[in-house]
Amino acid sequence: MLSFKGMRFPPDVILVCIRWYAAYPLSYRHLEEIMDERGVSVDYSTVNRWAIRFLPLVEKLSRKHRRKVGRSWRMDETYIKVKGAWKYLYRAVDKEGKTVDFLLTAHRDMAAARRFFEKAMREQDVPEKIAMDKSGANKAAIDEINNATAVPITVRQVKYLNNIVEQDHRAIKRVTRPMLGFKSFRAASNVLAGVELMHMIRKGQFDIGTGVSMSFADQFYALAGQIRP
């Protein structure tokens, strides 16, 4: 459960602001205006601090409720601007389009690809097959992993197989585009965790155990350990 100790605003205000920011193509100033129309005076810089602090915590809490994905993955990386420079968001989905995992890295090389694969496999087990583009770094990372395993992962470097993950990037970019880049790597990584979380909620990737259909907002509150007001 999240701790809001020391926060001047109530938890429901904080959570609704960061949920909207992670779910919709809004800037912090947009949220300041929206909340002002609802009688809540909150500065955009405060919303920024909330997003950086709480979004990765909610995403971390959500992982124990994630359903397992399929064992045929499609992996690719896309670009995210941080302090005016391009960084790399590694992502993978299964053949049904469910998000496997994600990782923001400063470099696009074998070491970064291997960190992503190892993180994804810790969370979702080892896949049977991975489709990727012609990147030599990505292939080299999988080759290193295969060298240490008894049953190697089948690698398919066929471009059309990656259409699913390339299309899936668009949902993330749609939300991040109004953000106009991030001021720090930490801010980018933390906010992207929230954006990916909301994208997974929309895909129905969580088993919250209520036995009833829940709205996207209710699922977010439940994953954060809060009851929606």
Side-chain angles (χ1 to χ4, degrees), residues 24-80:
Y24 305 110
L26 299 168
S27 69
Y28 291 121
R29 291 185 184 275
H30 288 147
L31 282 169
E32 179 182 333
E33 294 174 10
I34 291 169
M35 296 306 292
D36 186 61
E37 290 176 2
R38 286 159 173 75
V40 179
S41 179
V42 55
D43 190 77
Y44 73 91
S45 62
T46 300
V47 180
N48 169 260
R49 290 193 294 273
W50 290 344
I52 294 171
R53 175 173 177 176
F54 290 109
L55 282 174
L57 299 179
V58 180
E59 192 275 329
K60 184 177 180 180
L61 288 172
S62 76
R63 289 186 172 252
K64 64 183 178 182
H65 299 286
R66 282 182 62 183
R67 295 186 174 98
K68 291 296 183 181
V69 299
R71 298 187 66 193
S72 178
W73 297 358
R74 280 81 169 118
M75 175 267 190
D76 190 31
E77 63 274 351
T78 188
Y79 298 89
I80 298 293

